[in-house]
Amino acid sequence: MSAAPPADAAGAPEVVLVNGSSAASLAPLDRGLHFGDGLFETIACRGRRPRLLDWHLERLALGCARLHLPPFGADELRQEILALARAAENSIIKVIVTRGSATARGYGPSGREKPTRITLRYRWPDENPDWSTHGVRVRTAALRLGENPALAGLKHLNRLEQVLARAENSDPQIAEALLFSSSGLLVSGTMSNVFIVSQSRLRTPRLDRCGVAGVMRRAVLGCARSAGVDVAEAALRAEDLADAQEIFLTNARVGIWPVRQLDARALTPGPVTRALQIRLAPLLEEPPDA
Amino acid sequence: MSAAPPADAAGAPEVVLVNGSSAASLAPLDRGLHFGDGLFETIACRGRRPRLLDWHLERLALGCARLHLPPFGADELRQEILALARAAENSIIKVIVTRGSATARGYGPSGREKPTRITLRYRWPDENPDWSTHGVRVRTAALRLGENPALAGLKHLNRLEQVLARAENSDPQIAEALLFSSSGLLVSGTMSNVFIVSQSRLRTPRLDRCGVAGVMRRAVLGCARSAGVDVAEAALRAEDLADAQEIFLTNARVGIWPVRQLDARALTPGPVTRALQIRLAPLLEEPPDA
């Protein structure tokens, strides 16, 4: 079966479904391959339940609308994700939705495409538990992100910038790289959003020019607001990062990672980070849509 | 066979090879799909010969080096292209090279990937012959391209910007859309490079921040230099475009398309455009590597 990954591949998924079928393979004409013409979601599943599923599906639907992708069968996808999550105690489910096979040569969609849905379930990865408690080491990427409001916020398939930023450094002790945009704005990590705390004010980059609007970023913004923290999305630059007393990263799987080192600078996970980790903890183990 | 396109699809390829095999399909773990982690070439084949094949393969090799893709078997690919071209009088061959199937989850390459090569042969498209002689109608795209020197010049698989720019307008009489970058620089069309003529000086946008360094752009730059035309790559803005007496587009298939209308402005294909079309004609029908 062509869809099966090689048995010895590290990190290979346990399940691969193409349009719901484990026997299906991907058409070489798929516009996801040719142009990155599609979107994805990476969903953390704990206790056999997908975490923040509604928000993942909401972001996917928003992305489809912005890219003018045809409807992809949201109910069917939800059932598929729930069934896959139920079959393993903890897992990561990645969903890719593309515009489907090309019906003509060239970039322009014909409007007659039928979307392709690829669903993969991976084992929950082993990870150093210290990273959540004591924090992670982070570096600043040399690569800068291009700015395009038409794509900003979306979790689309054009990810060469993230590939190149990750490839700048292969030290497994460096958990993440922070990225600035071409005009010098702080954006995010390669696979996480970033928050900074300065004089008890919590700030995270506005994502109106580039970056992905993460579901865990949304959860943390909500937690912070309900806790009465002074929190806002803002245009942040290198000097804001340098002035920050606390820095932390968010992502759907890890929740909050305090940053304990940024390039050569040591940081201590501070009170705002710790308070938000405590408030977020129930959500990480118990999805709100349970 | 999963690799076969639907028989009724307009513009479907006549031949699809995945790693040289017509029976193979694409792995759903391919990083070309997940991240657009790869490159492509679109090669015009006339009289059973691929035009400018050396330059296509050179650009592909350069792109592989810049993206740190593993070697993809350039000799094998050359033979494959030559064989496919021989089997049809005129055709378009598209080659996609990706980093291959993911060997781990996440953006970072493991270094253990084996590249995937997908080769597609399409029929030579029907096209209004007037477009080469009388010129094409062109509009300015609303979308602006993000700027990233790390990707500039490469024909990589992250093409959502081009998809969205094409989707802005579906009038088949508008042949192309011109794109500016986020900082206001003129870059290219969605599938072509652009040249402007002002006071007998020929200029084309520098491609150090975004855009694709087209093989036909290279051929036209060479033609112009050998004809003694004052020609240079430059940073061009909207006012340069507005001041231009002649505008033309280049692409591997069409050679030179004069622009006869840009948005509401009418233009007449001028002497520099005509002279270059004449100089380019032999190359379009007789590849230099024959």
Side-chain angles (χ1 to χ4, degrees), chain B residues 203-236:
Chain B
R203 296 290 181 265
T204 190
R206 267 209 298 268
L207 302 175
D208 51 351
R209 298 193 198 179
C210 48
V212 175
V215 295
M216 195 55 69
R217 173 181 183 270
R218 180 175 169 181
V220 168
L221 284 171
C223 273
R225 284 189 192 110
S226 68
V229 174
D230 173 352
V231 59
E233 300 173 65
L236 302 174

Side-chain angles (χ1 to χ4, degrees), chain B residues 4-12 123:
Chain B
D8 62 344
R123 272 185 297 274

Side-chain angles (χ1 to χ4, degrees), chain A residues 50-167:
Chain A
R51 187 192 281 166
L52 298 174
L53 179 57
D54 285 347
W55 288 1
H56 281 290
L57 293 175
E58 198 179 296
R59 179 173 61 185
L60 187 58
L62 178 73
C64 286
R66 283 182 54 194
L67 298 183
H68 316 293
L69 289 185
F72 61 90
D75 289 342
E76 204 177 347
L77 176 58
R78 176 188 292 273
Q79 294 312 316
E80 187 170 278
I81 293 168
L82 289 170
L84 283 177
R86 259 196 304 274
E89 187 59 34
N90 299 314
S91 64
I92 304 287
I93 294 178
K94 179 170 180 175
V95 177
I96 298 175
V97 174
T98 80
R99 200 182 304 271
S101 266
T103 59
R105 226 173 55 76
Y107 295 119
S110 70
R112 298 186 305 275
E113 297 86 2
K114 293 195 184 117
T116 305
R117 184 180 82 237
I118 298 147
T119 316
L120 310 108
R121 196 187 68 214
Y122 297 86
R123 270 186 298 274
W124 189 271
D126 295 328
E127 202 157 64
N128 192 335
D130 276 4
W131 286 11
S132 288
T133 50
H134 297 111
V136 293
R137 291 173 56 198
V138 172
R139 66 185 175 82
T140 305
L143 180 136
R144 291 188 164 211
L145 297 169
E147 297 182 346
N148 195 327
L151 298 175
L154 302 184
K155 207 166 170 83
H156 58 68
L157 295 175
N158 280 201
R159 293 292 154 202
L160 260 176
E161 293 181 317
Q162 284 70 29
V163 169
L164 292 179
R166 289 297 290 198

Side-chain angles (χ1 to χ4, degrees), chain B:
Chain B
M1 185 184 81
S2 61
D8 62 344
E14 301 166 319
V15 181
V16 179
L17 302 176
V18 179
N19 292 328
S21 160
S22 63
S25 61
L26 190 69
L29 291 182
D30 199 279
R31 291 175 57 99
L33 168 72
H34 284 244
F35 309 131
D37 192 6
L39 300 153
F40 71 108
E41 293 290 333
T42 305
I43 305 163
C45 305
R46 300 288 294 178
R48 303 184 185 274
R49 285 170 162 170
R51 186 192 280 167
L52 298 173
L53 179 58
D54 286 346
W55 288 0
H56 281 290
L57 293 175
E58 197 179 297
R59 179 174 60 183
L60 186 58
L62 178 74
C64 286
R66 282 182 55 194
L67 298 183
H68 317 294
L69 289 184
F72 61 91
D75 288 343
E76 204 176 348
L77 176 57
R78 176 187 294 273
Q79 294 312 316
E80 187 169 277
I81 293 168
L82 289 169
L84 283 178
R86 258 196 304 276
E89 187 59 34
N90 299 316
S91 64
I92 304 287
I93 294 178
K94 178 170 179 175
V95 177
I96 298 175
V97 175
T98 80
R99 199 183 303 271
S101 266
T103 60
R105 225 173 54 78
Y107 295 120
S110 71
R112 299 187 305 275
E113 297 86 2
K114 293 195 183 115
T116 304
R117 183 181 83 238
I118 298 147
T119 316
L120 309 109
R121 195 187 68 212
Y122 297 86
R123 272 185 297 274
W124 190 271
D126 295 327
E127 201 156 65
N128 191 335
D130 276 3
W131 286 12
S132 288
T133 50
H134 297 111
V136 293
R137 291 172 55 197
V138 171
R139 65 186 175 83
T140 305
L143 180 137
R144 292 189 160 209
L145 297 169
E147 298 182 344
N148 195 329
L151 299 175
L154 302 185
K155 206 166 170 81
H156 57 69
L157 295 174
N158 280 201
R159 293 291 155 205
L160 259 176
E161 293 180 318
Q162 284 70 30
V163 170
L164 292 180
R166 290 297 289 197
E168 286 177 12
N169 187 299
S170 59
D171 181 350
Q173 297 309 309
I174 306 287
E176 180 58 303
L178 285 186
L179 289 152
F180 287 83
S181 75
S182 58
S183 70
L185 294 165
L186 178 64
V187 181
S188 64
T190 62
M191 51 142 209
S192 61
N193 291 109
V194 60
F195 287 75
I196 64 174
V197 180
S198 236
Q199 272 115 33
S200 303
R201 289 193 306 250
L202 182 64
R203 296 290 181 265
T204 190
R206 267 209 298 268
L207 302 175
D208 51 351
R209 298 193 198 179
C210 48
V212 175
V215 295
M216 195 55 69
R217 173 181 183 270
R218 180 175 169 181
V220 168
L221 284 171
C223 273
R225 284 189 192 110
S226 68
V229 174
D230 173 352
V231 59
E233 300 173 65
L236 302 174
R237 297 183 168 272
E239 48 271 30
D240 299 302
L241 192 62
D243 288 346
Q245 285 104 45
E246 302 177 37
I247 303 173
F248 65 83
L249 307 176
T250 62
N251 122 338
R253 176 169 61 83
V254 305
I256 289 177
W257 268 346
V259 173
R260 68 176 173 84
Q261 190 176 326
L262 171 58
D263 299 321
R265 179 187 168 208
L267 290 116
T268 307
V272 177
T273 306
R274 292 304 189 204
L276 288 169
Q277 282 188 304
I278 289 164
R279 287 190 81 99
L280 199 62
L283 180 133
L284 295 189
E285 292 309 322
E286 203 175 330
D289 59 302

